[in-house]
Amino acid sequence: MDFPFAREAISKLFSKPSCNMYPAVPSEAAPNYRGRIVYHPDKCINCGMCERVCAGGAISRTIEKLDEGDRITMTFNLGSCTFCGHCAGFCSRSAIELTQDYHMIATREEDLLVSGSFIKAAPKKPAPKPGAPAAAPAAEAPACGAEAPAAEISPRDDGKPVNDPSKCVYCTLCAKKCPAGALTVDRAAKTWTLDEDKCVGCGTCAESCPKNAIII
């Protein structure tokens, strides 16, 4: 019987291996390797941007209504993930991290799911001022030549932003920072427009406003 590779096999028994002796010898991932996802729910603001930009459709979000607010659960399916890094790149709060961990062999689909939850508190309604009348009397018209007082701006019940035109300088910073692209600011016309269908009430616009002109 002919064994054409017997000599080659025997010679390799006494030579050094061509590959790394993993897992006996630990091997580090290459620089900038994008591996297992780590999710930090304490940093998440529920803007949904990661879910929108996910090319593989590997990110899902569930919302459970509770007395103290909404329980947000984000789930990342590593079995569908392409590890492109878009979710981490678009996250304005660095709540998503791609590590150098490449150990992702699993026998169950559940082992390839990375998830985390947090409570997003419901927006607080402004408390009435002590001794305030049930219905405010109609304001008197300002005297001729006198400037009308600025109207008091109150936060919305749904947690979405409200702009105070008396403070706004229309710098467009809030529109640039909005992760959902829900704001349009025209500096020349001095207009501030909110797309309520896109707005997720994350509060990034209010935090970025240098004049505190946005109320949440």
Side-chain angles (χ1 to χ4, degrees):
M1 185 177 292
D2 187 18
F3 296 97
F5 301 107
R7 180 180 298 178
E8 183 71 14
I10 294 173
S11 65
K12 292 302 180 183
L13 291 175
F14 303 97
S15 61
K16 293 183 179 180
S18 301
C19 56
N20 295 332
M21 299 302 292
Y22 178 84
V25 178
S27 180
E28 298 292 334
N32 300 321
Y33 177 82
R34 297 191 292 263
R36 178 178 288 273
I37 289 176
V38 173
Y39 172 59
H40 305 283
D42 57 313
K43 297 180 180 180
C44 185
I45 57 176
N46 189 35
C47 67
M49 185 57 66
C50 59
E51 190 176 3
R52 293 187 182 96
V53 301
C54 181
I59 304 176
S60 60
R61 174 177 46 167
T62 59
I63 302 176
E64 180 184 1
K65 296 292 184 180
L66 303 175
D67 293 339
E68 59 270 29
D70 293 339
R71 180 181 179 86
I72 313 297
T73 301
M74 301 294 299
T75 302
F76 303 80
N77 190 337
L78 302 184
S80 302
C81 180
T82 61
F83 301 93
C84 62
H86 280 351
C87 57
F90 276 87
C91 183
S92 61
R93 297 303 179 92
S94 301
I96 304 173
E97 177 186 0
L98 272 72
T99 68
Q100 291 192 309
D101 183 7
Y102 52 83
H103 302 87
M104 285 178 281
I105 298 177
T107 57
R108 302 182 308 165
E109 185 178 358
E110 294 79 10
D111 296 335
L112 293 176
L113 299 180
V114 176
S115 62
S117 302
F118 66 97
I119 302 294
K120 184 174 182 180
K124 296 181 179 179
K125 295 182 179 180
K129 297 180 180 180
E140 296 181 359
C144 182
E147 184 177 352
E152 183 177 354
I153 305 298
S154 300
R156 292 173 49 153
D157 293 339
D158 57 5
K160 293 185 178 181
V162 179
N163 183 48
D164 187 346
S166 65
K167 297 180 180 179
C168 183
V169 294
Y170 305 96
C171 63
T172 72
L173 183 60
C174 57
K176 294 177 181 177
K177 292 290 185 178
C178 178
L183 290 176
T184 302
V185 180
D186 189 327
R187 183 178 296 178
K190 293 186 177 181
T191 57
W192 184 95
T193 307
L194 172 69
D195 189 334
E196 299 194 11
D197 293 334
K198 293 182 179 180
C199 179
V200 295
C202 64
T204 303
C205 56
E207 295 179 2
S208 61
C209 180
K211 296 294 185 178
N212 297 322
I214 301 177
I215 301 172
I216 296 292

